[in-house]
């Protein structure tokens, strides 16, 4: 099971350590530092590192390495999932997860970590339960605590811990009862030079914010549930009901949670909402290259594409770029060779474009690799897969809740090769 | 106000100041001080000097302060064991607190204090907590048993905590069940042999029920535990699979992968014709694909496991090639794994897509990745024959880019393509030669030289090219030097007239100026070959090379099967069995996939591989043999015995007993009575018995008449123990000659040749009468059957058990040893019929102590049938008479070493049982 946890910042300092069994010397991290040095970028540090007596499993998030030390054969996914959970919990507690914030709240961090694992076994990882055990710091509470001498630590057994619905605390009360569901879809796609789709898939989630009094029992049905053939549910969803009727039936946790995530695979035809026309050419003899890209809407079902940002890692040989955008702003960093163009909204009548020249290293041969264009965008009020919620019903409580459903489509890893 | 202020006190008198604050009367000040202490501790400062002061703060009603003190205690108790005792009383008191949270906290913290003296005080509170009314306390206590076991295993066993823990598996609360399973699994890991998690259908049912209700982490423990269970038949396997499949939709990827492990393992037991098998295959693909949209670290572990899964069952993901396409901002470790899986999934149907992608990757920035992509193109060419042409042209395109490392990598793989498809693509050689000068890596240079040497007759200026390499011979790496030597010799053999000088030059460089022994030896061999027999040299150097195998990078099937059992673990990430890397072999149990068992043959299932039993152990399980027998026989082996049974009388009884035991033990009767008269144990040589039992077996009636009984082939040497060589075998006797029938299977990935066999000295002098003849090399997955004649003229040594035979088999890979038991009836000679008079005389002379008696029950045969059945195995009927309605048969047989065995069989017709009254 998980032995110890070290938090390491990107400059290689261990700024927090926690041991759940015997103490493991922090020198074990030397193996990690070696790997860190070998990797060109922090993202490339391998997640599993063997050492003579231990195994180091790490995740890299928010510019912090969370390194878990294990000694026996433990499922690595279990450890990595847990580490991500730790990060999520920190974020949930403190708003952001960063080195200064963790240092500021070191005692709470320590208490939380102690609650999350016992002897390496996960104990309480549900945010609802943790918050009942250890209250997250707020300015008000800190002030109150200093005056009254009360504490952050709850002294009651968290009610949900052992009930049939461990994710929901009892005695929830709201004056305004509301339930919001956001259907968010991200398109991961690779588009080749000629504009045809090599692979495209949709990662969708339904995030919920439920503030309902008592023990509401909700059902959510879809117009076209057949789209969802690959889904992962929050534990609250009754799987049998889904299997037989394709209806989501659940007692929701209190507050924000991810109800389900789904995946619409490459085999279904995925609509691509934007296209990029590009003309990037280097010539062998000349020290100038031509650069021109245009972005336009494709299958948007009449919705507006907004928040468009184009980024591209230019080849090393590019010294500088002199470009004119038809709209938005652009930057080029000659050190990292990163081109970034903040386009904004796409107006279908007047397509945004970015044109100009690149100055190349004189005398050098033309670059081997062509830059890949990375695209970000947002489309409100559209789920690109076509998923639609039919209705939301509530049982078990008498009041009438306010319900809301929102759709959004975003670019995930959306890449255009040139 | 934040906690960072606790870090600011770095003054010298810090500890002193904290001490004063800790002993303050004000609660608030105390708490602040403890917080400061904890903060220092978390960043690794030593604050152990404050131990007594902090412990003094423990008796408080303030839960947060209590927790903080507990945190401190866990960290420093080890270094201050005597002080830690001071805390015990508070712990014991807290364990009785009315608040379950405090009870649980106390028992949890006590378990974390790794001090021997404290563990004694822990036992009583722990026992109470394990039976606490509150499940929260019980589940905490379950984990505490594992902690205690880690500190003092003996204590846990003595106190009977393990049994309590086992009882908790049937607890009503799923969380308690999950924690009990987790604790037991951890304890079991340090005791691989102990049978802690003794799974049976009832306990499995409980686990499956708890699986639906416990937390995600508990589900992982339960699933991993389920994976160690072997269902008794396919029906049970299917019902478990049905209850596990919903886990595939869990949001936690570790749960998903553990579920995949259980399904992959149990699928092995399902028949492929089953509808359910197909459904299951379909259900497995989407969750695996979904894993790839998670964070990169999770993707990496998932990809390593998918790599195993596509090797075992390629059909699951064969349509999902696209999800493995690389995104340019994937971390490098994800890119490389994706590439590997792309090659494994490449087939004729999708090769065009794959090649286009690979070509794209070959223009990326990351050098390692580009190289691997180029290699991948070569592997595609070798894997999918139809695509070879397209691969070669893609490679040529890449060579045109003139990017140095791409060119070099391309040349290395083109060499492999030439090996796989000789004389097909030599048109590209010209292009390759153009890039000769840019090659600076040894592997690429060696590959190029090999190509030039191999196709020397078609390259006009081959001699010039090679000569240019020769100039810097001493600066080359050994790899290039060896290749150059061979290439020039090849060239010489192909164009002897123009290249004599060149070959002399290289030979002298290799033999005289080099201090590398490999190079020198190869040089001398070529030199001698060329000078003595150029024709032979041609045959050796230009010999036809075996084609390279398509799947050189596949994991060996036996290892793969083992790794499938370890899906989701570190072993699956390293692609090595845990025994290869787990420290000190702790907790290493070989796992193997369950054999396929259909429910309609479940009556036999107890015999087919007991649940989870390592198949590798089978050859070691040898039935024990009566000691007395061996001793008796040994006594007599000195003087050679020819005819008169009198001289051998001391042996007779042993032999008889052996025969009897065999007859008796496996005659097919489900229950038999061991005779009180028998002086030797009745559990004698099973192999021999099995022979005789089938003699009596009605179902094999006709066959048995035509020759002596032949046992079905058994696995003698499992592939796992012999680097992929599997040997099945049995013994036969036919018209006077004994032979050993072998079936050799190559389960490795390389060709096996040069087989030989040898026996150790044995009780009856068995020895191979001819060498082991395996005519052609045994290629992977090929099986040969052959019969090895045996003689009984080898040297004699008494074995234990008597019919034990130790065999050594050699091939080009290694020498393997195994032992087997041969059935004694192969040693019964054809002239074993004794003259009646002699029989009578001998019978009378047999001393009582050499006589043994026993019964064979439920043998539905009459005297004639028995007589003829036995005769086919060279046990002869000397006389027959009927006394009081019972048939009496007098039997004799002779062993190859001349020992006679006499027997009397009494057959009661009404009650079909035999009383072989005894013998010599």
């Amino acid at each position: 099971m998980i032995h110890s946890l070290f938090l390491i910042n990107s400059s290689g300092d261990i700024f927090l350590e926690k041991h759940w069994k015997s103490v493991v010397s922090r020198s074990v991290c030397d193996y990690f530092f070696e790997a860190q040095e070998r990797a060109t970028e922090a993202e490339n540090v391998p997640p599993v590192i063997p050492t003579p007596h231990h195994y180091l499993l790490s995740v890299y998030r928010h510019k912090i390495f969370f390194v878990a030390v294990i000694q026996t054969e433990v499922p690595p996914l279990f450890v990595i999932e847990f580490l991500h959970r730790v990060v999520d919990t920190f974020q949930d507690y403190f708003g952001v997860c960063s080195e200064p914030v963790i240092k500021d709240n070191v005692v709470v961090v320590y208490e939380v970590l102690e609650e999350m694992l016992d002897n390496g076994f996960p104990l309480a990882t549900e945010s609802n339960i943790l918050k009942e055990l250890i209250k997250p710091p707020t300015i008000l509470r800190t002030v109150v605590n200093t005056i009254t001498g009360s504490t952050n630590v709850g002294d009651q057994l968290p009610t949900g811990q052992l009930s049939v619905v461990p994710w929901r605390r009892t005695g929830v009360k709201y004056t305004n009862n509301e339930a919001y569901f956001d259907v968010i879809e991200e398109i991961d796609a690779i588009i080749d030079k000629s504009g045809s789709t090599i692979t495209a898939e949709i990662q969708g989630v339904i995030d919920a914010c439920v503030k309902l009094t008592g023990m509401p029992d909700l059902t959510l049905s879809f117009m076209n549930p057949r789209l969802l053939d690959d889904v992962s549910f929050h534990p609250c969803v009754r799987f049998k009901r889904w299997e037989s009727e394709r209806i989501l039936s659940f007692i929701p946790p209190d507050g924000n949670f991810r109800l389900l995530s789904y995946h619409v695979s490459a085999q279904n035809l995925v609509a691509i909402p934007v296209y990029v026309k590009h003309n990037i050419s280097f010539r062998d003899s000349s020290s100038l290259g031509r650069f021109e890209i245009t972005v336009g809407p494709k299958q948007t079902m009449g919705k507006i594409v907004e928040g468009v940002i184009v980024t591209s890692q230019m080849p090393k040989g590019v010294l500088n770029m002199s470009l004119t955008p038809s709209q938005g702003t652009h930057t080029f960093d000659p050190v990292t060779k990163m081109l970034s163009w903040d386009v904004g909204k796409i107006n279908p009548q007047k397509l945004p474009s970015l044109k100009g020249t690149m100055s190349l290293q004189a005398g050098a041969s033309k670059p081997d690799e062509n830059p890949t264009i990375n695209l970000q965008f947002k489309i409100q009020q559209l789920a690109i897969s076509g998923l639609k919620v039919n209705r939301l019903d509530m049982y078990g409580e008498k009041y009438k809740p306010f319900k809301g459903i929102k759709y959004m489509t975003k670019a995930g890893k959306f890449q255009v090769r040139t | 106000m934040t906690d960072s202020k606790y870090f600011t006190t770095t003054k010298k008198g810090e500890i002193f100041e904290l001490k004063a604050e800790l002993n303050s009367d004000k609660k608030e000040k105390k708490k602040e001080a403890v917080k400061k202490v904890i903060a220092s501790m978390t960043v690794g400062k030593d604050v152990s000097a404050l131990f007594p002061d902090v412990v003094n703060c423990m008796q408080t009603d303030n839960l947060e302060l209590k927790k903080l003190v507990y945190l401190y205690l866990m960290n420093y108790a080890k270094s201050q064991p005597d002080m830690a005792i001071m805390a015990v009383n508070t712990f014991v008191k807290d364990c009785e607190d009315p608040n379950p949270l405090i009870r649980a906290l106390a028992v949890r913290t006590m378990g974390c204090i790794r001090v021997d003296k404290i563990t004694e005080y822990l036992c009583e509170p722990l026992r109470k907590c394990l039976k606490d009314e509150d499940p929260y306390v019980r589940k905490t206590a379950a984990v505490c048993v594992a902690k205690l076991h880690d500190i003092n295993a003996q204590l846990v066993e003595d106190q009977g905590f393990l049994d309590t823990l086992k009882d908790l598996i049937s607890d009503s609360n799923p969380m308690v069940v999950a924690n009990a399973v987790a604790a037991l699994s951890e304890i079991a890991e340090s005791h691989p042999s102990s049978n802690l998690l003794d799974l049976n259908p009832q306990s499995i049912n409980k686990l499956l029920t708890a699986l639906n209700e416990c937390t995600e982490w508990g589900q992982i423990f339960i699933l991993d535990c389920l994976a160690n269970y072997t269902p008794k038949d396919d029906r049970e396997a299917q019902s478990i699979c049905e209850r596990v499949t919903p886990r595939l939709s869990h949001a936690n990827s570790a749960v998903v992968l553990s579920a995949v492990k259980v399904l992959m393992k149990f699928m092995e037991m399902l028949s492929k014709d089953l509808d359910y098998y197909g459904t299951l295959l379909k259900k497995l693909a989407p969750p695996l694909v979904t894993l790839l949209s998670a964070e990169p670290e999770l993707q990496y572990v998932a990809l390593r496991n998918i790599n195993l899964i596509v090797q075992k069952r390629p059909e699951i993901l064969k349509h999902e090639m696209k999800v493995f396409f690389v995104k340019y901002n994937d971390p490098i470790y994800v890119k490389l794994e994706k590439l590997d899986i792309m090659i494994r999934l490449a087939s004729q149907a999708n090769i065009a897509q794959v090649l286009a992608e690979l070509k794209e990757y070959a223009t990326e920035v990351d050098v390692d990745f580009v190289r691997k992509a180029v290699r991948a193109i070569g592997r595609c060419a070798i894997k999918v024959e139809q695509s070879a042409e397209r691969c070669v042209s893609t490679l040529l395109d890449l060579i045109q880019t003139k990017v140095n490392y791409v060119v070099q990598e391309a040349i290395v793989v083109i060499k492999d393509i030439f090996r796989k498809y000789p004389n097909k693509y030599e048109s590209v050689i010209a292009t390759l030669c153009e890039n000769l000068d840019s090659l600076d890596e040894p592997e690429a240079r060696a590959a190029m030289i090999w190509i030039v040497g191999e196709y020397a007759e078609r390259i006009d200026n081959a001699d010039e090219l090679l000569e240019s390499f020769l100039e810097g011979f001493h600066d080359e790496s050994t790899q290039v030097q060896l290749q150059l030597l061979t290439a020039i010799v090849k060239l010489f053999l192909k164009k002897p007239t123009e290249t004599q000088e060149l070959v002399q030059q290289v030979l002298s460089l290799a033999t005289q100026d080099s201090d590398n022994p490999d190079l020198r030896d190869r040089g001398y061999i070529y030199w001698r070959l060329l000078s003595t027999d150029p024709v032979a040299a041609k045959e050796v150097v230009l010999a036809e090379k075996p084609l390279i195998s398509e799947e050189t990078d596949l994991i060996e099937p036996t290892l793969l099967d083992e790794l499938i059992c370890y899906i989701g673990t570190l072993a699956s990430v390293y692609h090595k069995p845990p025994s290869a890397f787990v420290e000190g072999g702790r907790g290493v149990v070989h796992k193997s996939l369950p054999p396929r068992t259909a429910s309609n043959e479940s009556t036999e299932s107890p015999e087919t591989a007991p649940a989870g039993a390592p198949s590798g152990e089978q050859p070691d399980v040898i039935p024990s043999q009566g000691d007395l027998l061996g001793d008796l026989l040994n006594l007599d082996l000195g003087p050679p015995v020819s005819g008169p049974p009198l001289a051998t009388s001391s042996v007779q009884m042993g032999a008889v007993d052996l025969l009897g035991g065999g007859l008796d033990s496996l005659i097919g009767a489900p229950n038999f009575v061991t005779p009180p008269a028998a002086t030797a144990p009745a559990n004698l040589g099973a192999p021999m018995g099995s022979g005789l039992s089938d003699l009596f077996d009605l179902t094999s009636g006709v066959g048995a008449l035509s020759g002596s009984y032949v046992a079905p082939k058994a696995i003698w040497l499992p592939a796992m123990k012999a680097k992929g060589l599997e040997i099945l075998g049995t013994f036969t006797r036919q018209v006077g000659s004994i032979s050993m029938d072998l079936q050799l299977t190559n389960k490795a990935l390389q060709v096996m040749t040069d087989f030989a066999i040898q026996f150790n000295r044995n009780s009856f002098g068995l020895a191979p009468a001819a060498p082991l003849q395996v005519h052609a090399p045994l290629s992977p997955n090929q099986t040969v059957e052959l019969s090895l004649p045996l003689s009984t003229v080898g040297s004699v040594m008494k074995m234990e058990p008597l019919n034990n035979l130790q065999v050594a088999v050699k091939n080009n890979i290694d020498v393997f040893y195994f032992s087997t038991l041969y059935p004694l009836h192969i040693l019964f000679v054809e002239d074993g019929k004794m003259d009646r008079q002699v029989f009578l005389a001998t019978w009378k002379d047999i001393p009582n102590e050499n006589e043994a008696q026993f019964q064979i029950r439920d043998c539905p045969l009459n005297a004639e049938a028995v007589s003829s059945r036995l005769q086919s195995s060279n046990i002869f009927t000397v006389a027959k008479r009927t006394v009081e309605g019972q048939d009496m048969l007098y039997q004799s047989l002779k062993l190859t070493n001349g020992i006679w065995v006499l027997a009397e069989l009494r057959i009661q017709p009404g009650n079909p049982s035999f009383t072989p009254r005894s013998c010599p």
Side-chain angles (χ1 to χ4, degrees), chain B residues 79-101:
Chain B
S79 55
Q80 309 261 345
D82 295 331
M83 294 284 204
I85 299 285
M86 289 166 40
V88 164
N89 256 334
T90 322
F91 276 129
V92 175
K93 218 169 81 200
D94 283 353
C95 283
E96 317 227 314
D97 197 280
N99 183 346
L101 195 60

Side-chain angles (χ1 to χ4, degrees), chain B residues 680-883:
Chain B
N683 60 338
L684 292 171
M688 138 125 193
S690 71
L692 287 175
S693 79
D694 282 72
L695 300 178
F696 285 95
D697 190 357
L698 269 176
T699 55
S700 64
V702 193
L705 287 170
S706 57
S708 127
Y709 168 73
V710 180
K713 285 191 176 119
I715 293 186
W716 285 349
L717 183 68
M720 242 151 88
K721 287 213 161 174
K723 303 185 179 169
L725 175 65
E726 187 178 79
I727 300 183
L728 278 80
T730 187
F731 293 92
T732 57
R733 182 182 182 93
Q734 258 158 351
V735 278
S737 60
I738 309 167
S739 58
M740 182 157 126
D741 287 348
L742 292 171
Q743 178 182 333
L744 309 178
T745 308
N746 181 355
K747 294 206 168 169
L749 288 168
Q750 67 184 111
V751 175
M752 294 179 175
T753 53
D754 307 330
F755 286 94
I757 195 164
Q758 212 161 16
F759 295 171
N760 194 3
R761 289 192 293 165
N762 51 66
S763 314
F764 292 92
L766 279 176
L772 190 64
Q773 301 267 334
V774 183
H775 292 296
L778 199 53
S779 41
N781 279 326
Q782 196 192 342
T783 300
V784 292
E785 305 224 11
L786 42 94
S787 179
L788 178 73
L790 304 181
S791 68
T792 50
V793 295
S795 37
V796 173
M797 182 174 79
K798 187 210 133 195
M799 293 303 292
E800 189 61 42
L802 195 65
N803 55 345
N804 188 8
L805 181 65
Q806 295 174 339
V807 184
V809 171
K810 186 193 90 106
N811 64 11
N812 58 330
I813 300 171
D814 206 344
V815 183
F816 310 106
Y817 303 91
F818 62 91
S819 66
T820 179
L821 299 178
Y822 48 88
L824 273 187
H825 73 266
I826 62 162
L827 299 168
F828 299 165
V829 296
E830 277 70 13
D831 60 346
K833 184 155 185 173
M834 197 178 252
D835 181 77
R836 284 187 144 196
Q837 298 308 316
V838 183
F839 186 95
L840 213 59
T842 319
W843 187 260
K844 282 179 186 157
D845 287 336
I846 298 171
N848 270 343
E849 65 267 27
N850 279 4
E851 198 174 298
Q853 242 190 55
F854 46 87
Q855 280 193 324
I856 300 163
R857 290 226 170 143
D858 299 335
C859 185
L861 288 175
N862 62 22
E864 279 75 33
V866 169
S867 173
S868 65
R869 186 73 67 78
L870 288 176
Q871 183 149 358
S872 67
S873 283
N874 295 338
I875 305 169
F876 300 93
T877 306
V878 179
K880 179 187 162 196
R881 61 185 181 131
T882 311
V883 181

